Amino acid sequence: MRPSALRALCLLLPLFPFASVQAATATPSRAQLEQVDGGPALHWVKAENKKTQNALASDPRYKPLYDRILSAQQSPDRLAVPTQMAGEIWNFWQDKVHARGVWRSTSEADFKSGHPLWKTRFDLDELSRSEHANWVMEGLNCLEPADRICLLGLSNAGEDAHELREYDTTTNQFVQNGFRLPNGKQAVAWLDKDTVLVSRDWGTTDAGLTTSGYPYVVRALKRGQSLSQAQEVFRGTGQDMEVVPTVLRDGQGHQVVLIDRHKDFFHSEVERLDPGTLKTSQLPMPEKYDGLSYQDGQLVFHLLQDWPTAKGTIPADSVVAVDPDHPQALEIIVTPTKRQTIGDGMDGAIAATKDGLIVVMYDNVQPVLMLYRRGSSGHWSGRSIELPKNMAASIVSSDPHSSEAYLQLEGFIQPPQIWSVNTAKQNTQLLYSQPELFDSSKLTVEQLFAPSKDGTQVPYFVVHAKDWTKNGANPTLMTAYGGFGLSYLPVYHPDLGITWFERGGVYVMANIRGGGEFGPAWHEAARHAGRQSAYDDFASVARDLFSRNITSAKRLGIRGRSNGGLLMGVEFTQHPELWNATIIGVPLLDMLNYEHMAAGASWAAEYGSVSTPEGKAFWDKTSPLQALKPDVHYPTPFIFTSTRDDRVGPVHARLFAARLQELHVPFFYYEDMEGGHAGTVNAAEVAHERALEAVYLSRRLMDPR
């Protein structure tokens, strides 16, 4: 990865020289912009990047902000997030010396001592130098319970596609003549020490990738075999989203081998594989679930639908345990209320240990830790542990062969904490609290509610100074996500604290529909054509801020990434009068064509397909790219993406910026040449992009007008 070394020109006008960033650049055609690495497209990208950098990085505020963000990103005071592996605590760490990162380890006792002595086990910077490669770490997949041999993932510049190499945790070396899978979008699971289940593009027309760009054929690959010699064990279809193998092992020595056929983003069929015969049989599982764990021979998962069973219908959002050998034997562990939900829609809400189960629940978007045990009668019982308010909780590590697991807590102004959780003793212990990386002593957080267009109460968090004045003039940055059942929860962002909180900015996070803050029903309300309710929720929160005299349109900016970038694009076009700044990150914006762009086909279950009359009618009037109109006063946006994003792709952002260029609407555009869908992958690039944003927001929302 290249370091960020910017040389910017001084501006003649210190404030709002937005038209100047639009110096004439020939706009490539759509076909040219769609060629991700094509000459005309990259020439245009580099020219737009240069304009943005010249306009913003020359601001006297840029360098101090950049330096402080970089220092925070590389701070030795950051918490080391634990991963239990090979009988030790492992951690992936990046700093000034190790920009790409190292895997390092210490003993569990040493980790809990508060002063661990780390031993480097794998150095990604050293590998990248020796191979003259641009490697980004994609994680370790190890064979339990010994965790001696692992498949180490290496991505070129942060792409989802990656290669896999076998690594030995006892020698700290790649295994000579070990498993090595070439670059591609792939998923693997260890069947035994000499066999891996692999889902990938096998290089033939009948075993390639789905229309979503993911593999659908699983084969068993034995040590020493070439890819062409691997034995097929399951195939989906090219119209599926993806097919993924999974091997689960519990602390009692049970093993279950599953193949998850994702028919779309939310609906799955689960096959059970017999390791001896390599034959599969379908398990009677619900189509919509997440959070799959394995404890005491029981499959435990979070239901995302009402599930009719012989014992009656189990409500959506419940946590259920099923015996895969006797699927009719099932038990409800917990069913949340209407204002509660399980987790945040990501991994980290349910984890199995040797003797118990950990569940993270949210009650009105406030965290609760639940500990469950399965008694000798087979029934589950549990207790709740109160957690600090206005924070998010996530299980960052668990081990089916240990009673210990680790939980991370963090808030907008509360630095991350690492807690140990013991399911045998059913207790918790605070191990680490990260020192503050910005001054939060004068800040507070409150939760408010806004009525949406249809009367629905939408919660939102507000971070502000304790002594603020509600004068309608507070510079305010607002964000949300509102999609895929993912909850938007408090996160400690040092860059935000440095560039916004410390400088008097108000921050608002809205929990709009489409997310998972109140369970599957909150998500379902904003799927397909119902998405307008999410967009209405967001605009309603903005108007609520105005009615409370917190801010005004000329002092309100918005920011979002990915699906949140789509949200920003819609709000930019539907309500340009409500904001004076809009940051649109790694976005989807051409929704009339998204299904044929990068991995877009995989999201039809969320957005609705434009091949249907309903989907076409909705996105005809809502797609941000097509909604851009001449003679409309739009606030100058900041658009950022990554050339190496192979999930959403940079084409959406390019087309949107090009259309603005055609309409003579000023904008800022920044496309990182590496980084994948994360946008940026090292501390220097993160600091650079965030500092550019900070200058942009300062000019639009903080400076005198």
Side-chain angles (χ1 to χ4, degrees), residues 21 47-58 638-639 667-670 692:
V21 303
E48 294 304 319
N49 281 356
K50 183 177 180 181
K51 293 176 194 174
T52 295
Q53 294 179 172
N54 286 350
L56 298 178
S58 60
F638 183 107
I639 306 161
F667 63 88
F668 291 100
Y669 184 88
Y670 182 70
L692 293 179

Side-chain angles (χ1 to χ4, degrees), residues 307-315 330:
W307 187 26
T309 72
K311 295 185 176 182
T313 297
I314 301 176
L330 52 86

Side-chain angles (χ1 to χ4, degrees), residues 312-386:
T313 297
I314 301 176
D317 215 17
S318 299
V319 177
V320 181
V322 175
D323 183 344
D325 293 323
H326 306 92
Q328 70 280 2
L330 52 86
E331 185 167 353
I332 301 173
I333 297 174
V334 61
T335 297
T337 67
K338 288 185 177 180
R339 300 300 285 183
Q340 296 176 328
T341 192
I342 302 299
D344 60 2
M346 301 284 283
D347 291 337
I350 302 175
T353 67
K354 180 176 66 176
D355 42 32
L357 191 71
I358 306 168
V359 176
V360 175
M361 180 186 290
Y362 286 90
D363 189 336
N364 266 321
V365 205
Q366 300 292 347
V368 179
L369 184 65
M370 307 294 295
L371 300 182
Y372 293 95
R373 299 186 72 177
R374 187 168 180 250
S376 56
S377 64
H379 295 297
W380 295 81
S381 61
R383 60 167 297 208
S384 63
I385 296 178
E386 188 173 346

Side-chain angles (χ1 to χ4, degrees), residues 7 40 128 154 200 252 278 299 334 368 388 410 427 494:
R7 298 292 181 266
S128 298
L154 298 169
R200 60 169 290 120
Q252 291 71 41
L278 297 182
L299 288 173
V334 61
V368 179
E410 62 183 315
N427 62 14

